[in-house]
Structure formats: structure tokens, C-alpha cells
Amino acid sequence: PSNGHICIGCVVVVSVIEQLAQVHNSTAQASMERLCSYLPEQLFLKSTCYLVVSMFGPDIIKLLSADMNADVVCHTLEFCKQDAGQPLCHLYPLPKAPWEFTLEKARQMVKRSPTLKYSRSD
Amino acid sequence: SDICSLPFLVKICQKIKLAIENSVPFKDVDSDKYSIFPTLRGYHWRGRDCNDSDGTVYPGRRPDDWDIHQDSNCNGIWGVDPKDGIPYEKKFCEGSQPRGIILLGDSAGAHFRISPEWITASQMALKSFFNLPTALTNELNWPQLSGATGFLNGYSRIKENSLYLRLRERNHCNHRDYQNLSKNGASSQNLKKFIESLSRNQLLDHPAIVIYAMIGNDVCNGRRDPVPEMTTPEQLYSKVTETLKFLNSHLPNGSHVFLSGLPDGTFLWDNLHDRYHPLGQLNEDVTYDQFYTFLSCLQVSPCHGWMSSNKTLRTLTSQRAEQLSDTLKKIATSQRFTNFNLFYVDFDFQEITKEWQRRGGQPWQLIEPVDGFHPNEVALLLLADRFWNKVQRQWPEVLGKENPFNPQIKQVFGDQGGH
């Protein structure tokens, strides 16, 4: 998949996690557990889900708990990237605070995270 | 990171990759291009093999010695009538002019669909993902529910049947004779890469009805400026002529080939742009306009030309589509082939929209909600219905006659082994 598809995949998955938490009035963590529990075992879908949650869950929880939306989460975790000279790609309305400020704040929140050692392709 | 790099998975990954690239079944022991496995280009895409250890046994072939000893063409009709010693295949199918259906298509023909249940949190439950493995191993396509070769009951409650089921209904001897050779991203320019996956022996097999339906990717791409990448009428003419020559050297005499024109895709923006995308329905914060913009920004839009707020670009795309349709029309009226008759049919999306509205439906209900681009099952079956009625009216010889022995076939062989 191209970088664009990886970005879309991230925004869709984080959106579903966020909206599941909203619909069930639960935490982001509970929402991720719920999503993985819905997936079938075939094709390693359920185990891949739990693997992704174990890798990126802590950061997603931190960022969603700080009311960051899926665009911010995916740019912070570098599944989405704004290349130099290219427009910022976002699905949801931009946050009220300036984008750069929001992104920097989010990056600070996950700065010490072990996640970011994985290259984006993972 | 790449699961296929694990030693014990390398081989199977290679096999799966080959199957998908060449559009041939992953599991095909006798290499006759027909399979007993559903997905990975199996019987969801072409008639199910009834003997996967004998390469001379497959759907669509003329019967071997009237199938006295075995069902050589997998239509479920074989053996000898004990009352008079006449082989059933001879008694019920001789002279009925059996024929198969073959679709050369793109993601629309394969019925590409990302199920909205997979991304709609408010309705999500354990059962939401039960069909995800099947979809993933069919490249997110549902050919088994498609308008051309569908044979399973889908999720819409529309009564219309696929072209294959209609051919089967008309002549039960056509049972299992379908091939959906569609591919995501296919166009006139890359059909050559997978047209070899067409399975038809010019001497041994029944004639076929072949539909060439590359309805979008010649004008659709994800580029920031999609126009330079669009196929020109000259490029289309050259490639389609090549394709027809290939078909003439592979199709049994007495076949028919239909060239389908391209739609006017301005329908998409006009009917969807201000509606909420499934991801935006919970909080009413994402419309298809925003969704299209996001896809185009990432340069992964399936069709930037039509999925755009830029009216000029949408109009340009439709103009090019119309030029390409005119080119196909010109080919159909000017070229002749020894083994098949050639026809052109419009892609009548406007007409089926009117039909759907007559039934009380809304135009936006004809489009896949998650990608906001592909025709959905209702649209595909309405298109099939319109195509069938047009052919029946204008070229009735194409569909063959009603087989008077259908009731007897049903009586003796029931569902003929199903699908």
C-alpha cells in the first residue's frame, strides 16, 4: 500500500476506535479491546489487532484522552505525513488551535514513547 | 514487518501473489483455471470445478461423449436415461445452444465493496466482521453478488437477477458457465496483463457472451492533475482492437462480444457531495466533499476527475469519457470478426437512476457508501436487468432459446450440484 493508503487506514481505524468509545461511553482502551474482540480469528485478523493495540494503544489512548482527533493522532504517530511543499491532508475539520501548535503538543505527549522507533511502513 | 518474509510463509505468499496478479485460481490442482475453492479467484469468480484432478473437466466445455460416464462440463447433467438409453446431456441439451458469460471488467464489474458495517461504530457488533476474511481474499470484491456473474443472494432485497442466473434460467444447460475476469484498477491499457486468464477452448467449448466493461479507469486516477494520465481515444482504439483480435483467436465460433461505454460520473458529486460519509454520520462532521478532498490530497482517490469540487475538472472528465464511448461505438460499427458478432451498449446509469426513482429510491442509494464511488449491488443488478432487456429486444439470438427441457432437467437433476 502507498503512504496515502496507510494514512487512510490509520484515520479510519482511529475514527472507529474513537466513535466506539463515544457510542458505548467507554475509554479508548475498552474501545480497542471491543474492536479486536469483534474481529474473526481467520487471516490472523484478531491477533494482528491485538498486536497493533499493544504497539500503538498507549499512544492512541493518551492522544484521544486529550481530545485529539484521528487526523492529529495519525500525523503524530507518523502514519500520515505532510511532505515539504505538499498540502496538509486531513479528513475532519481542523482543530480550533493552529495545526502546528496542536501537532507539537501531541508530539510532546508521546515523545518518550517506544512506538516511534517503528518505521511508518510497519 | 512483512509477514510474507517468514520462511514458512514465503511459498504460499508467492502462490497467492501469482494468483492475484494473473487473476487465476489460487487452488487449481488440474490447472484448468477452475477451482473448488471459493475465494482467491476461485468459484466466486468462475464456475466451480466438478473434478479438480482432471484438466479436461470444467464448466463451459462441450460434453465428452454426451457425458455418459461423467459430467465433463460440470453442468450437473450426465448419465443415461434408463427408460430409452439416451444420454441425458444429449436428450436435454443437444440443439439448445448452451453458452457462457465472460466479463472483462474493473472494480465495478467485480463489485468492489467495503462493507459499511466495518466502519460504523453505532451498529458494530460481533457479526459485523464475519465476512471480512472472504472479502479480503477476494481483493474486497464480491463477484459472487455482481450484476454479471452473481449466483448468491446478496444484501439488497432487489428482485433482479444477474446475467449469469438469467442465462441459466433460460437454459439450465448453462449451469456454472460464468467467468468474472475483472480486476481493481483495470482499464483498456492494462487488460493485456490479465486477459490470458480467460478460459475458453475454441474447439472444445461452447460459445460465450463476452462483455468488455472498462467503465472508469481510462479517465479515473488519483493524480493531482488527472487529465494527462487519462486514456486518449487513439490509445483506446489501439488497445481495444488488440483485445478483440485476442478474443477472435480464443472464442468459439458463434460467440458475441459487447463493448460497454463509460458513464457520466458527474452523478457522484451531484448526488453525494453534501451528504454525510459513514465516518461522519455519528457527529455530522464529515461529508463526501471532505472525504473526496482527503482522498485527492493523499493522491489515492479512485477517481479524482469526478470525485472533485472542481466543476471544470468534472466536466472535462465526462467529456473524455464520452469521447471514449464514441470510440468504442466506432469500433463496434466498423470492425468485423470471424468468431463473434460485435455490439456496443451505453452504460445507462441515468436510465437505471430513473428506474430506481420510479420505485421510490434516491440516486445516492445506488453508490457504495464507504468509497462513495462504485455502483452498489442494486445498481449492478438494475444495470444487468437493463442490459438483458435491451439485448432480448434488439439481438434476441445472443441469449439463445428457452430450453424446453428445463423442467425435466430440474426434475432429474434438481439444483444440478449447485454452485
Side-chain angles (χ1 to χ4, degrees):
Chain A
S2 71
N3 290 339
H5 288 108
I6 290 172
C7 176
I8 287 187
C10 174
V11 170
V12 170
V13 170
V14 174
S15 298
V16 169
I17 292 168
E18 193 179 8
Q19 293 184 21
L20 270 176
Q22 185 180 336
V23 165
H24 296 283
N25 193 21
S26 74
T27 64
Q29 172 154 359
S31 162
M32 285 188 271
E33 299 283 349
R34 180 193 300 272
L35 178 59
C36 291
S37 72
Y38 287 157
L39 290 173
E41 279 297 354
Q42 294 121 299
L43 304 184
F44 309 111
L45 290 170
K46 193 191 285 284
S47 36
T48 302
C49 184
Y50 283 120
L51 175 68
V52 169
V53 166
S54 68
M55 282 163 63
F56 300 103
D59 295 334
I60 292 173
I61 291 167
K62 273 183 209 149
L63 295 168
L64 290 181
S65 308
D67 284 337
M68 304 287 181
N69 71 18
D71 292 318
V72 178
V73 172
C74 295
H75 276 84
T76 305
L77 298 181
E78 299 192 359
F79 285 96
C80 300
K81 260 190 169 176
Q82 180 182 10
D83 296 326
Q86 295 301 321
L88 168 67
C89 300
H90 62 95
L91 177 61
Y92 293 92
L94 287 175
K96 291 183 182 51
W99 172 262
E100 278 313 324
F101 169 78
T102 306
L103 195 55
E104 187 48 35
K105 181 179 158 194
R107 282 178 177 149
Q108 289 306 317
M109 292 170 73
V110 297
K111 193 164 68 172
R112 275 170 296 285
S113 158
T115 303
L116 292 183
K117 75 172 186 294
Y118 294 105
S119 74
R120 194 166 46 162
S121 65
D122 285 333
Chain B
S1 64
D2 179 1
I3 195 164
C4 281
S5 58
L6 297 174
F8 64 95
L9 286 180
V10 168
K11 208 164 162 48
I12 193 169
C13 280
Q14 272 167 357
K15 274 195 74 184
I16 290 176
K17 202 155 172 278
L18 255 182
I20 290 174
E21 273 167 9
N22 300 332
S23 300
V24 290
F26 160 70
K27 188 175 174 63
D28 180 14
V29 175
D30 57 12
S31 301
D32 61 1
K33 293 185 187 160
Y34 291 88
S35 174
I36 58 173
F37 190 74
T39 58
L40 292 173
R41 295 283 165 168
Y43 65 76
H44 280 175
W45 300 81
R46 324 163 177 242
R48 183 179 184 137
D49 202 340
C50 53
N51 180 345
D52 201 24
S53 51
D54 181 341
T56 65
V57 172
Y58 54 85
R61 66 158 290 171
R62 297 178 193 282
D64 172 23
D65 192 16
W66 291 116
D67 281 6
I68 292 173
H69 304 296
Q70 72 164 341
D71 183 10
S72 68
N73 53 19
C74 302
N75 63 5
I77 302 168
W78 67 286
V80 172
D81 187 340
K83 290 198 294 298
D84 50 22
I86 299 174
Y88 283 117
E89 181 86 28
K90 183 177 178 58
K91 176 181 281 197
F92 292 153
C93 298
E94 185 178 29
S96 73
Q97 298 175 320
R99 63 207 60 210
I101 182 159
I102 298 173
L103 176 65
L104 302 175
D106 49 26
S107 49
H111 186 14
F112 182 92
R113 171 181 167 81
I114 297 173
S115 184
E117 284 78 19
W118 301 339
I119 67 165
T120 307
S122 55
Q123 299 156 21
M124 202 169 277
L126 201 55
K127 64 177 171 43
S128 303
F129 295 94
F130 81 96
N131 54 14
L132 183 56
T134 298
L136 287 174
T137 47
N138 272 341
E139 304 145 64
L140 292 178
N141 295 301
W142 306 72
Q144 68 276 28
L145 309 179
S146 66
T149 61
F151 59 88
L152 291 180
N153 289 325
Y155 46 84
S156 72
R157 280 175 297 284
I158 190 167
K159 64 182 172 19
E160 276 70 10
N161 268 338
S162 71
L163 297 178
Y164 159 66
L165 285 179
R166 291 163 189 259
L167 279 172
R168 186 194 177 282
E169 191 54 33
R170 196 176 190 86
N171 181 353
H172 291 3
C173 300
N174 294 333
H175 183 65
R176 289 196 191 179
D177 192 357
Y178 62 89
Q179 297 180 48
N180 192 321
L181 310 181
S182 298
K183 206 171 177 57
N184 298 341
S187 72
S188 64
Q189 305 303 297
N190 61 30
L191 170 56
K192 188 175 182 176
K193 288 182 195 162
F194 64 95
I195 196 167
E196 298 282 350
S197 69
L198 184 145
S199 169
R200 212 70 180 180
N201 182 305
Q202 198 153 55
L203 300 176
L204 291 180
D205 295 357
H206 288 306
I209 299 169
V210 179
I211 300 174
Y212 168 97
M214 299 298 173
I215 67 161
N217 295 310
D218 282 294
V219 296
C220 287
N221 59 68
R223 298 276 188 276
R224 283 216 209 292
D225 176 5
V227 178
E229 294 276 317
M230 291 181 185
T231 301
T232 64
E234 296 72 25
Q235 288 168 331
L236 180 84
Y237 189 94
S238 158
K239 288 291 186 184
V240 170
T241 300
E242 237 180 85
T243 298
L244 294 173
K245 284 179 184 154
F246 174 91
L247 292 176
N248 197 46
S249 63
H250 283 74
L251 292 178
N253 188 269
S255 295
H256 299 88
V257 174
F258 287 84
L259 301 179
S260 167
L262 287 76
D264 174 2
T266 53
F267 171 95
L268 295 169
W269 175 269
D270 294 348
N271 289 287
L272 288 173
H273 78 276
D274 56 356
R275 295 190 61 81
Y276 287 119
H277 182 272
L279 283 178
Q281 282 163 7
L282 184 65
N283 299 309
E284 296 187 344
D285 55 359
V286 176
T287 62
Y288 281 98
D289 176 359
Q290 290 161 255
F291 177 66
Y292 288 172
T293 303
F294 184 48
L295 294 179
S296 302
C297 180
L298 292 170
Q299 298 194 67
V300 293
S301 171
C303 194
H304 183 188
W306 276 322
M307 298 160 82
S308 165
S309 56
N310 180 334
K311 184 176 175 56
T312 307
L313 176 56
R314 298 199 302 269
T315 306
L316 258 176
T317 305
S318 293
Q319 283 168 355
R320 177 63 64 85
E322 190 169 359
Q323 288 166 9
L324 298 183
S325 295
D326 290 342
T327 304
L328 291 167
K329 218 175 283 181
K330 190 168 76 179
I331 292 172
T333 49
S334 62
Q335 297 193 12
R336 291 286 171 274
F337 296 89
T338 49
N339 290 315
F340 58 80
N341 295 324
L342 181 60
F343 308 91
Y344 169 84
V345 285
D346 283 321
F347 187 90
D348 279 336
F349 207 79
Q350 271 89 347
E351 297 307 320
I352 67 139
T353 304
K354 288 178 200 154
E355 168 58 26
W356 182 239
Q357 287 172 302
R358 272 195 291 274
R359 300 186 190 191
Q362 295 292 319
W364 58 268
Q365 293 171 322
L366 296 171
I367 299 297
E368 280 299 329
V370 176
D371 60 46
F373 173 56
H374 290 95
N376 64 11
E377 182 183 303
V378 171
L380 293 170
L381 290 173
L382 287 177
L383 284 163
D385 185 51
R386 188 168 174 81
F387 174 87
W388 180 270
N389 295 333
K390 175 181 281 189
V391 173
Q392 199 161 30
R393 218 176 27 249
Q394 290 182 233
W395 310 293
E397 74 283 3
V398 168
L399 305 174
K401 301 186 293 280
E402 191 95 21
N403 185 344
F405 293 104
N406 285 336
Q408 285 92 321
I409 293 171
K410 197 174 179 71
Q411 190 188 350
V412 176
F413 294 104
D415 71 349
Q416 297 168 251
H419 291 98

